CSV table of all heavy atoms in Angstrom, one decimal:
chain,number,residue,atom,x,y,z
A,7,ILE,N,0.8,-1.2,0.0
A,7,ILE,CA,0.0,0.0,0.0
A,7,ILE,C,0.9,1.3,0.0
A,7,ILE,O,0.7,2.1,-0.8
A,7,ILE,CB,-0.9,0.0,1.3
A,7,ILE,CG1,-2.0,-1.2,1.2
A,7,ILE,CG2,-1.7,1.3,1.2
A,7,ILE,CD1,-2.7,-1.4,2.3
A,8,ARG,N,1.9,1.2,0.9
A,8,ARG,CA,2.8,2.4,0.9
A,8,ARG,C,3.6,2.6,-0.4
A,8,ARG,O,3.8,3.8,-0.8
A,8,ARG,CB,3.8,2.3,2.0
A,8,ARG,CG,3.2,2.3,3.4
A,8,ARG,CD,4.2,2.3,4.6
A,8,ARG,NE,3.6,2.3,5.9
A,8,ARG,CZ,3.4,3.5,6.4
A,8,ARG,NH1,3.6,4.5,5.9
A,8,ARG,NH2,2.8,3.5,7.7
A,9,ASP,N,4.1,1.5,-1.1
A,9,ASP,CA,4.7,1.6,-2.3
A,9,ASP,C,3.8,2.1,-3.4
A,9,ASP,O,4.2,2.9,-4.2
A,9,ASP,CB,5.3,0.2,-2.7
A,9,ASP,CG,6.5,-0.1,-1.8
A,9,ASP,OD1,7.0,0.8,-1.0
A,9,ASP,OD2,6.9,-1.3,-1.9
A,10,PHE,N,2.6,1.5,-3.5
A,10,PHE,CA,1.7,1.9,-4.6
A,10,PHE,C,1.2,3.3,-4.5
A,10,PHE,O,0.9,3.9,-5.6
A,10,PHE,CB,0.5,1.0,-4.6
A,10,PHE,CG,0.8,-0.5,-5.0
A,10,PHE,CD1,-0.1,-1.5,-4.6
A,10,PHE,CD2,2.1,-0.8,-5.5
A,10,PHE,CE1,0.3,-2.8,-4.9
A,10,PHE,CE2,2.4,-2.2,-6.0
A,10,PHE,CZ,1.6,-3.2,-5.6
A,11,ARG,N,1.0,3.8,-3.3
A,11,ARG,CA,0.6,5.2,-3.2
A,11,ARG,C,1.6,6.2,-3.7
A,11,ARG,O,1.1,7.4,-4.0
A,11,ARG,CB,0.3,5.5,-1.7
A,11,ARG,CG,1.4,5.7,-0.8
A,11,ARG,CD,0.9,5.8,0.6
A,11,ARG,NE,0.0,7.0,0.9
A,11,ARG,CZ,0.4,8.0,1.6
A,11,ARG,NH1,1.7,8.0,2.1
A,11,ARG,NH2,-0.4,9.0,1.8
A,12,GLU,N,2.8,5.9,-3.8
A,12,GLU,CA,3.9,6.8,-4.3
A,12,GLU,C,3.9,6.7,-5.9
A,12,GLU,O,4.6,7.6,-6.4
A,12,GLU,CB,5.2,6.3,-3.7
A,12,GLU,CG,5.3,6.4,-2.2
A,12,GLU,CD,5.0,7.8,-1.6
A,12,GLU,OE1,5.4,8.8,-2.4
A,12,GLU,OE2,4.4,7.9,-0.6
A,13,LEU,N,3.3,5.8,-6.5
A,13,LEU,CA,3.3,5.7,-7.9
A,13,LEU,C,2.4,6.7,-8.5
A,13,LEU,O,1.2,6.8,-8.2
A,13,LEU,CB,2.9,4.3,-8.4
A,13,LEU,CG,3.9,3.2,-7.9
A,13,LEU,CD1,3.3,1.8,-8.5
A,13,LEU,CD2,5.3,3.4,-8.4
A,14,ARG,N,2.8,7.3,-9.6
A,14,ARG,CA,2.0,8.3,-10.3
A,14,ARG,C,1.2,7.3,-11.2
A,14,ARG,O,1.6,6.4,-12.0
A,14,ARG,CB,2.8,9.1,-11.3
A,14,ARG,CG,1.9,10.1,-12.1
A,14,ARG,CD,2.9,11.0,-12.8
A,14,ARG,NE,2.1,12.0,-13.7
A,14,ARG,CZ,2.6,12.9,-14.5
A,14,ARG,NH1,3.9,13.0,-14.6
A,14,ARG,NH2,1.7,13.6,-15.1
A,15,ASP,N,-0.2,7.5,-11.2
A,15,ASP,CA,-1.1,6.7,-12.0
A,15,ASP,C,-1.1,5.3,-11.6
A,15,ASP,O,-1.0,4.3,-12.3
A,15,ASP,CB,-1.0,6.8,-13.5
A,15,ASP,CG,-1.2,8.2,-14.1
A,15,ASP,OD1,-2.1,8.9,-13.5
A,15,ASP,OD2,-0.5,8.5,-15.0
A,16,GLY,N,-0.8,5.1,-10.2
A,16,GLY,CA,-0.7,3.8,-9.7
A,16,GLY,C,-2.0,3.0,-9.6
A,16,GLY,O,-3.1,3.5,-10.0
A,17,PRO,N,-2.0,1.8,-8.9
A,17,PRO,CA,-3.2,0.9,-9.0
A,17,PRO,C,-4.1,1.3,-8.0
A,17,PRO,O,-5.3,0.8,-8.0
A,17,PRO,CB,-2.6,-0.5,-8.7
A,17,PRO,CG,-1.3,-0.3,-8.0
A,17,PRO,CD,-0.8,1.0,-8.5
A,18,LEU,N,-3.8,2.2,-6.9
A,18,LEU,CA,-4.8,2.6,-5.9
A,18,LEU,C,-5.5,3.8,-6.3
A,18,LEU,O,-5.1,4.7,-6.8
A,18,LEU,CB,-4.1,2.8,-4.6
A,18,LEU,CG,-3.3,1.6,-4.0
A,18,LEU,CD1,-2.6,2.2,-2.8
A,18,LEU,CD2,-4.1,0.4,-3.8
A,19,MET,N,-6.9,3.8,-6.1
A,19,MET,CA,-7.8,5.0,-6.2
A,19,MET,C,-8.3,5.4,-4.9
A,19,MET,O,-9.4,6.1,-4.8
A,19,MET,CB,-8.8,4.7,-7.2
A,19,MET,CG,-9.9,3.7,-7.0
A,19,MET,SD,-11.2,3.5,-8.0
A,19,MET,CE,-12.0,5.1,-8.0
A,20,VAL,N,-7.7,5.1,-3.8
A,20,VAL,CA,-8.2,5.5,-2.4
A,20,VAL,C,-7.7,6.9,-2.3
A,20,VAL,O,-6.6,7.4,-2.6
A,20,VAL,CB,-7.5,4.7,-1.3
A,20,VAL,CG1,-8.1,5.2,0.0
A,20,VAL,CG2,-7.9,3.3,-1.7
A,21,ASN,N,-8.6,7.9,-1.9
A,21,ASN,CA,-8.2,9.2,-1.6
A,21,ASN,C,-7.0,9.3,-0.7
A,21,ASN,O,-7.0,8.7,0.4
A,21,ASN,CB,-9.4,10.0,-1.0
A,21,ASN,CG,-9.3,11.5,-1.0
A,21,ASN,OD1,-8.4,12.0,-0.5
A,21,ASN,ND2,-10.0,12.1,-1.8
A,22,PRO,N,-6.1,10.1,-1.0
A,22,PRO,CA,-4.8,10.2,-0.2
A,22,PRO,C,-5.1,10.6,1.2
A,22,PRO,O,-4.4,10.2,2.1
A,22,PRO,CB,-4.0,11.3,-0.9
A,22,PRO,CG,-4.5,11.2,-2.3
A,22,PRO,CD,-5.9,10.9,-2.2
A,23,VAL,N,-6.1,11.4,1.5
A,23,VAL,CA,-6.5,11.8,2.8
A,23,VAL,C,-6.8,10.7,3.7
A,23,VAL,O,-6.5,10.4,4.9
A,23,VAL,CB,-7.7,12.9,2.8
A,23,VAL,CG1,-8.2,13.1,4.2
A,23,VAL,CG2,-7.2,14.0,2.2
A,24,TYR,N,-7.6,9.7,3.1
A,24,TYR,CA,-8.0,8.5,3.8
A,24,TYR,C,-6.7,7.7,4.1
A,24,TYR,O,-6.6,7.1,5.2
A,24,TYR,CB,-9.0,7.6,3.1
A,24,TYR,CG,-10.1,8.4,2.4
A,24,TYR,CD1,-10.8,7.8,1.5
A,24,TYR,CD2,-10.5,9.6,3.0
A,24,TYR,CE1,-11.9,8.5,0.9
A,24,TYR,CE2,-11.7,10.2,2.5
A,24,TYR,CZ,-12.3,9.7,1.4
A,24,TYR,OH,-13.5,10.5,1.0
A,25,LEU,N,-5.8,7.6,3.2
A,25,LEU,CA,-4.6,6.7,3.4
A,25,LEU,C,-3.7,7.4,4.4
A,25,LEU,O,-3.1,6.7,5.2
A,25,LEU,CB,-3.8,6.6,2.0
A,25,LEU,CG,-4.4,5.6,1.0
A,25,LEU,CD1,-3.6,5.5,-0.2
A,25,LEU,CD2,-4.5,4.1,1.6
A,26,ASP,N,-3.5,8.7,4.4
A,26,ASP,CA,-2.7,9.5,5.3
A,26,ASP,C,-3.3,9.2,6.7
A,26,ASP,O,-2.5,8.9,7.7
A,26,ASP,CB,-2.7,11.0,5.1
A,26,ASP,CG,-2.0,11.4,3.9
A,26,ASP,OD1,-1.2,10.5,3.4
A,26,ASP,OD2,-2.2,12.5,3.4
A,27,PHE,N,-4.6,9.1,7.0
A,27,PHE,CA,-5.2,8.8,8.2
A,27,PHE,C,-4.8,7.4,8.7
A,27,PHE,O,-4.4,7.2,9.8
A,27,PHE,CB,-6.7,9.0,8.2
A,27,PHE,CG,-7.4,8.6,9.4
A,27,PHE,CD1,-7.5,9.4,10.5
A,27,PHE,CD2,-8.0,7.3,9.5
A,27,PHE,CE1,-8.2,9.1,11.6
A,27,PHE,CE2,-8.7,6.9,10.6
A,27,PHE,CZ,-8.8,7.7,11.8
A,28,LEU,N,-4.9,6.5,7.8
A,28,LEU,CA,-4.7,5.0,8.1
A,28,LEU,C,-3.3,4.7,8.3
A,28,LEU,O,-2.9,3.8,9.1
A,28,LEU,CB,-5.3,4.2,7.0
A,28,LEU,CG,-6.9,4.1,6.9
A,28,LEU,CD1,-7.3,3.3,5.7
A,28,LEU,CD2,-7.4,3.4,8.2
A,29,LEU,N,-2.4,5.4,7.6
A,29,LEU,CA,-0.9,5.1,7.7
A,29,LEU,C,-0.2,5.8,8.7
A,29,LEU,O,1.0,5.7,9.0
A,29,LEU,CB,-0.3,5.1,6.4
A,29,LEU,CG,-0.8,4.3,5.3
A,29,LEU,CD1,-0.2,4.7,3.9
A,29,LEU,CD2,-0.5,2.7,5.6
A,30,ALA,N,-0.8,6.7,9.5
A,30,ALA,CA,-0.2,7.6,10.5
A,30,ALA,C,0.1,6.7,11.7
A,30,ALA,O,-0.5,5.7,12.0
A,30,ALA,CB,-1.2,8.8,10.8
A,31,GLY,N,1.2,7.2,12.4
A,31,GLY,CA,1.5,6.4,13.6
A,31,GLY,C,2.5,5.4,13.4
A,31,GLY,O,2.8,4.9,12.3
A,32,SER,N,3.0,4.9,14.6
A,32,SER,CA,4.0,3.8,14.6
A,32,SER,C,3.7,2.9,15.8
A,32,SER,O,4.2,3.3,16.9
A,32,SER,CB,5.4,4.3,14.4
A,32,SER,OG,6.3,3.2,14.4
A,33,PRO,N,3.2,1.7,15.6
A,33,PRO,CA,2.7,1.2,14.4
A,33,PRO,C,1.6,2.0,13.7
A,33,PRO,O,0.9,2.7,14.4
A,33,PRO,CB,2.2,-0.3,14.7
A,33,PRO,CG,1.8,-0.1,16.2
A,33,PRO,CD,2.8,0.8,16.8
A,34,SER,N,1.2,1.8,12.5
A,34,SER,CA,0.2,2.5,11.9
A,34,SER,C,-1.2,2.3,12.4
A,34,SER,O,-1.5,1.1,12.9
A,34,SER,CB,0.2,2.3,10.4
A,34,SER,OG,-0.2,0.9,10.1
A,35,ARG,N,-2.0,3.3,12.2
A,35,ARG,CA,-3.5,3.1,12.6
A,35,ARG,C,-4.1,1.9,11.8
A,35,ARG,O,-4.9,1.0,12.2
A,35,ARG,CB,-4.3,4.3,12.4
A,35,ARG,CG,-5.7,4.4,12.9
A,35,ARG,CD,-6.4,5.6,12.7
A,35,ARG,NE,-5.9,6.7,13.6
A,35,ARG,CZ,-5.2,7.7,13.3
A,35,ARG,NH1,-4.8,7.9,12.1
A,35,ARG,NH2,-5.0,8.6,14.2
A,36,LEU,N,-3.6,1.7,10.6
A,36,LEU,CA,-4.1,0.6,9.7
A,36,LEU,C,-3.8,-0.8,10.3
A,36,LEU,O,-4.7,-1.7,10.4
A,36,LEU,CB,-3.5,0.7,8.4
A,36,LEU,CG,-3.9,-0.4,7.3
A,36,LEU,CD1,-5.3,-0.2,6.9
A,36,LEU,CD2,-3.0,-0.3,6.1
A,37,SER,N,-2.5,-0.9,10.8
A,37,SER,CA,-2.3,-2.3,11.4
A,37,SER,C,-2.9,-2.4,12.8
A,37,SER,O,-2.9,-3.6,13.2
A,37,SER,CB,-0.7,-2.3,11.7
A,37,SER,OG,-0.3,-1.3,12.6
A,38,ARG,N,-3.5,-1.4,13.4
A,38,ARG,CA,-4.3,-1.6,14.6
A,38,ARG,C,-5.7,-1.8,14.4
A,38,ARG,O,-6.3,-1.9,15.5
A,38,ARG,CB,-3.9,-0.4,15.5
A,38,ARG,CG,-2.5,-0.4,16.0
A,38,ARG,CD,-2.3,0.7,17.0
A,38,ARG,NE,-1.8,2.0,16.2
A,38,ARG,CZ,-2.5,3.1,16.2
A,38,ARG,NH1,-3.6,3.3,17.0
A,38,ARG,NH2,-2.1,4.2,15.6
A,39,THR,N,-6.2,-1.9,13.3
A,39,THR,CA,-7.6,-2.3,12.9
A,39,THR,C,-7.9,-3.7,13.4
A,39,THR,O,-7.0,-4.6,13.4
A,39,THR,CB,-7.9,-2.0,11.5
A,39,THR,OG1,-7.1,-2.8,10.8
A,39,THR,CG2,-7.8,-0.6,11.2
A,40,PRO,N,-9.1,-4.0,13.8
A,40,PRO,CA,-9.5,-5.4,14.1
A,40,PRO,C,-9.2,-6.4,13.0
A,40,PRO,O,-9.3,-6.1,11.9
A,40,PRO,CB,-10.9,-5.4,14.4
A,40,PRO,CG,-11.2,-3.8,14.6
A,40,PRO,CD,-10.3,-3.1,13.8
A,41,VAL,N,-8.8,-7.6,13.4
A,41,VAL,CA,-8.5,-8.7,12.5
A,41,VAL,C,-9.9,-9.2,12.1
A,41,VAL,O,-10.7,-9.7,12.9
A,41,VAL,CB,-7.6,-9.8,13.0
A,41,VAL,CG1,-7.5,-10.9,12.1
A,41,VAL,CG2,-6.2,-9.2,13.4
A,42,SER,N,-10.1,-9.2,10.7
A,42,SER,CA,-11.5,-9.5,10.3
A,42,SER,C,-11.8,-11.0,10.3
A,42,SER,O,-13.0,-11.5,10.5
A,42,SER,CB,-11.7,-9.0,8.9
A,42,SER,OG,-11.4,-7.7,8.9
A,43,THR,N,-10.7,-12.0,10.1
A,43,THR,CA,-10.9,-13.3,9.9
A,43,THR,C,-9.7,-14.0,10.5
A,43,THR,O,-8.6,-13.5,10.3
A,43,THR,CB,-11.2,-13.7,8.4
A,43,THR,OG1,-11.3,-15.2,8.4
A,43,THR,CG2,-10.1,-13.3,7.5
A,44,ALA,N,-9.9,-15.3,11.0
A,44,ALA,CA,-8.8,-16.1,11.5
A,44,ALA,C,-8.1,-16.9,10.5
A,44,ALA,O,-7.1,-17.4,10.5
A,44,ALA,CB,-9.2,-17.0,12.6
A,45,ASP,N,-8.8,-16.9,9.2
A,45,ASP,CA,-8.3,-17.6,8.0
A,45,ASP,C,-7.1,-17.0,7.4
A,45,ASP,O,-7.0,-15.7,7.4
A,45,ASP,CB,-9.4,-17.8,7.0
A,45,ASP,CG,-10.6,-18.5,7.5
A,45,ASP,OD1,-10.5,-19.3,8.3
A,45,ASP,OD2,-11.6,-18.2,6.8
A,46,LYS,N,-6.0,-17.8,7.1
A,46,LYS,CA,-4.9,-17.3,6.3
A,46,LYS,C,-5.3,-16.9,5.0
A,46,LYS,O,-6.1,-17.5,4.3
A,46,LYS,CB,-3.8,-18.2,6.3
A,46,LYS,CG,-3.3,-18.7,7.6
A,46,LYS,CD,-2.7,-17.6,8.5
A,46,LYS,CE,-2.1,-18.0,9.7
A,46,LYS,NZ,-1.6,-16.9,10.5
A,47,VAL,N,-4.8,-15.7,4.4
A,47,VAL,CA,-5.2,-15.3,3.0
A,47,VAL,C,-4.0,-15.3,2.2
A,47,VAL,O,-2.9,-15.2,2.6
A,47,VAL,CB,-5.7,-13.9,3.2
A,47,VAL,CG1,-7.0,-13.9,4.1
A,47,VAL,CG2,-4.9,-12.8,3.7
A,48,ARG,N,-4.2,-15.2,0.8
A,48,ARG,CA,-3.2,-15.1,-0.2
A,48,ARG,C,-3.0,-13.7,-0.5
A,48,ARG,O,-3.9,-12.9,-0.9
A,48,ARG,CB,-3.5,-16.0,-1.3
A,48,ARG,CG,-2.5,-15.8,-2.5
A,48,ARG,CD,-2.9,-16.5,-3.7
A,48,ARG,NE,-2.0,-16.3,-4.9
A,48,ARG,CZ,-2.2,-15.3,-5.8
A,48,ARG,NH1,-3.2,-14.5,-5.6
A,48,ARG,NH2,-1.3,-15.2,-6.8
A,49,THR,N,-1.7,-13.1,-0.3
A,49,THR,CA,-1.4,-11.8,-0.8
A,49,THR,C,-1.0,-11.8,-2.3
A,49,THR,O,-0.3,-12.7,-2.7
A,49,THR,CB,-0.2,-11.3,0.0
A,49,THR,OG1,-0.5,-11.4,1.5
A,49,THR,CG2,0.2,-9.9,-0.3
A,50,TRP,N,-1.6,-10.9,-3.1
A,50,TRP,CA,-1.2,-10.8,-4.4
A,50,TRP,C,0.2,-10.1,-4.5
A,50,TRP,O,0.5,-9.2,-3.8
A,50,TRP,CB,-2.3,-10.0,-5.1
A,50,TRP,CG,-3.5,-10.7,-5.3
A,50,TRP,CD1,-4.3,-11.1,-4.4
A,50,TRP,CD2,-4.0,-11.2,-6.6
A,50,TRP,NE1,-5.4,-11.8,-4.9
A,50,TRP,CE2,-5.2,-11.8,-6.3
A,50,TRP,CE3,-3.5,-11.2,-7.9
A,50,TRP,CZ2,-5.9,-12.5,-7.2
A,50,TRP,CZ3,-4.3,-11.8,-8.8
A,50,TRP,CH2,-5.5,-12.4,-8.6
A,51,ARG,N,1.0,-10.6,-5.5
A,51,ARG,CA,2.5,-10.1,-5.6
A,51,ARG,C,2.4,-8.8,-6.4
A,51,ARG,O,1.4,-8.6,-7.2
A,51,ARG,CB,3.3,-11.2,-6.3
A,51,ARG,CG,3.5,-12.4,-5.6
A,51,ARG,CD,4.1,-13.4,-6.4
A,51,ARG,NE,4.3,-14.7,-5.6
A,51,ARG,CZ,4.7,-15.9,-6.1
A,51,ARG,NH1,5.2,-15.9,-7.5
A,51,ARG,NH2,4.8,-16.9,-5.5
A,52,ASP,N,3.4,-8.0,-6.3
A,52,ASP,CA,3.4,-6.8,-7.0
A,52,ASP,C,3.2,-6.9,-8.6
A,52,ASP,O,2.4,-6.1,-9.0
A,52,ASP,CB,4.7,-6.1,-6.8
A,52,ASP,CG,4.9,-5.6,-5.3
A,52,ASP,OD1,4.1,-5.9,-4.5
A,52,ASP,OD2,6.0,-5.0,-5.1
A,53,HIS,N,3.8,-7.8,-9.1
A,53,HIS,CA,3.6,-7.9,-10.6
A,53,HIS,C,2.4,-8.4,-11.0
A,53,HIS,O,2.0,-8.3,-12.1
A,53,HIS,CB,4.8,-8.9,-11.2
A,53,HIS,CG,4.5,-10.3,-11.0
A,53,HIS,ND1,5.0,-11.0,-9.7
A,53,HIS,CD2,3.8,-11.2,-11.7
A,53,HIS,CE1,4.7,-12.2,-9.8
A,53,HIS,NE2,3.9,-12.5,-10.8
A,54,GLU,N,1.5,-8.9,-10.2
A,54,GLU,CA,0.1,-9.4,-10.4
A,54,GLU,C,-0.8,-8.1,-10.3
A,54,GLU,O,-1.9,-8.2,-10.8
A,54,GLU,CB,-0.4,-10.5,-9.3
A,54,GLU,CG,0.4,-11.7,-9.6
A,54,GLU,CD,0.0,-12.8,-8.6
A,54,GLU,OE1,0.1,-12.5,-7.3
A,54,GLU,OE2,-0.3,-14.0,-8.8
C-alpha cells in the first residue's frame, strides 16, 4: 500500500486523505484495526 501510493497513476484509487489517516503512527493506525478473519489469506504479488 505504501509503495503503490507513491506511484503516479498507480493501481490505488483511495483518496490520499484516507490513506494518510490510516498510515499515520508507528505502528500505523491501519495495522491496529481489528482482524476480520482467522483464516490465512493469499497476498497478491506486485507484478500481479
Side-chain angles (χ1 to χ4, degrees):
I7 295 171
R8 291 182 181 275
D9 289 347
F10 292 161
R11 75 190 292 252
E12 300 300 326
L13 297 177
R14 184 178 180 180
D15 298 326
L18 300 182
M19 64 174 294
V20 182
N21 194 298
V23 171
Y24 311 158
L25 284 179
D26 288 344
F27 173 81
L28 290 170
L29 295 175
S32 181
S34 69
R35 188 177 282 111
L36 180 66
S37 66
R38 290 182 273 123
T39 56
V41 175
S42 306
T43 176
D45 297 337
K46 300 296 183 182
V47 300
R48 174 185 177 268
T49 306
W50 288 69
R51 299 174 182 173
D52 290 4
H53 73 270
E54 295 175 307

